[in-house]
């Protein structure tokens, strides 16, 4: 492992603007249960990478955290990313997919709810009607796989309410 460590260190120095090198190093550290080192490396990577690569790098790190580290830390990273980037539905979907994958359907539902009922959650997402359509489709698919007819009906009802509100906003 010392040879691998040396190789990763050398690669991160040589290719410090390549996020794929940093991500490979994160993965290597997580697989070796070296979480603290991975966290220190994340800080270093964000100093070296250009800022437009930060969101993608943080997202990948959070995914590794979900799979190989602490899902709670992964959630925290995603919450921060979604607060800073409320229009990025791709981040929300990856977060939801990770919750479903680890079997925490209630957390996935809570994420869907936070978008549909932003007042209750205190979060303010800014998605277009077209994006909301894909959100409802995804939510419905999750409920088809992991829910029951009641939970599926709930998604349909939320979608109907959204369409009604959206149409009302456009006519005024």
């Amino acid at each position: 492992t010392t040879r691998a460590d040396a190789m990763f260190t050398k690669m991160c120095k040589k290719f410090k603007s390549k996020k794929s090198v940093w991500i490979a190093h994160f993965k290597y550290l997580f697989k070796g249960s070296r979480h603290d080192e991975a966290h220190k490396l994340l800080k270093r990577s964000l100093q070296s990478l250009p800022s437009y690569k930060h969101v993608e790098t943080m997202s990948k790190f959070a995914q590794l955290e979900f799979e190989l580290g602490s899902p709670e830390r992964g959630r925290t990273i995603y919450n921060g990313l979604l607060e800073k980037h409320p229009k990025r539905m791709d981040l929300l979907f990856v977060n939801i997919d990770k919750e479903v994958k680890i079997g925490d359907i209630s957390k996935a539902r809570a994420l869907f709810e936070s978008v549909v009922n932003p007042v209750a959650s205190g979060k303010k997402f800014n998605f277009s009607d077209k994006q909301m359509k894909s959100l409802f489709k995804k939510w419905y698919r999750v409920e088809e796989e992991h829910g029951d007819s009641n939970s599926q009906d709930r998604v349909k009802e939320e979608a109907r309410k959204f369409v009604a509100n959206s149409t009302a906003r456009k006519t005024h």
Side-chain angles (χ1 to χ4, degrees):
T1 58
T2 50
R3 276 182 63 194
D5 285 347
M7 184 199 69
F8 273 117
T9 304
K10 197 180 231 177
M11 282 181 60
C12 285
K13 279 182 185 161
K14 191 171 183 178
F15 304 105
K16 60 173 152 262
S17 65
K18 293 265 183 241
K19 69 177 187 241
S20 57
V21 172
W22 292 101
I23 291 165
H25 198 170
F26 298 151
K27 199 177 226 171
Y28 165 74
L29 292 173
F30 270 113
K31 282 187 173 174
S33 297
R34 294 159 62 186
H35 305 288
D36 291 341
E37 289 176 61
H39 285 270
K40 286 177 188 148
L41 188 69
L42 175 66
K43 286 185 179 120
R44 272 206 6 247
S45 74
L46 294 177
Q47 290 169 344
S48 299
L49 289 167
S51 58
Y52 72 91
K53 292 184 178 180
H54 287 189
V55 174
E56 217 41 55
T57 305
M58 298 271 296
S59 177
K60 287 285 186 204
F61 188 86
Q63 289 174 49
L64 289 168
E65 196 68 89
F66 261 101
E67 291 165 24
L68 305 165
S70 152
E72 198 48 56
R73 280 197 298 255
R75 273 183 208 110
T76 303
I77 293 170
Y78 271 115
N79 285 341
L81 285 171
L82 288 166
E83 258 175 51
K84 281 186 189 147
H85 307 279
K87 291 183 178 190
R88 294 281 305 266
M89 188 166 267
D90 59 318
L91 295 174
L92 179 70
F93 279 3
V94 172
N95 190 357
I96 288 168
D97 289 340
K98 289 296 165 195
E99 294 291 4
V100 170
K101 190 173 182 181
I102 64 168
D104 206 334
I105 306 304
S106 63
K107 289 263 190 321
R109 283 186 183 123
L111 284 165
F112 284 120
E113 287 284 343
S114 71
V115 176
V116 176
N117 298 314
V119 179
S121 68
K123 288 189 172 122
K124 185 69 184 122
F125 291 101
N126 205 350
F127 297 134
S128 68
D129 289 356
K130 191 175 178 183
Q131 286 176 305
M132 289 302 287
K133 180 182 177 186
S134 61
L135 178 105
F136 283 117
K137 278 183 170 179
K138 184 168 192 69
W139 189 2
Y140 191 77
R141 280 196 302 273
V142 167
E143 294 301 350
E144 277 180 323
E145 209 172 304
H146 302 282
D148 53 21
S149 61
N150 289 343
S151 62
Q152 290 168 26
D153 289 343
R154 174 150 167 46
V155 175
K156 287 179 189 172
E157 185 52 37
E158 287 292 347
R160 274 192 282 276
K161 277 199 286 191
F162 177 81
V163 169
N165 288 339
S166 180
T167 314
R169 277 196 306 270
K170 284 187 176 83
T171 55
H172 284 104

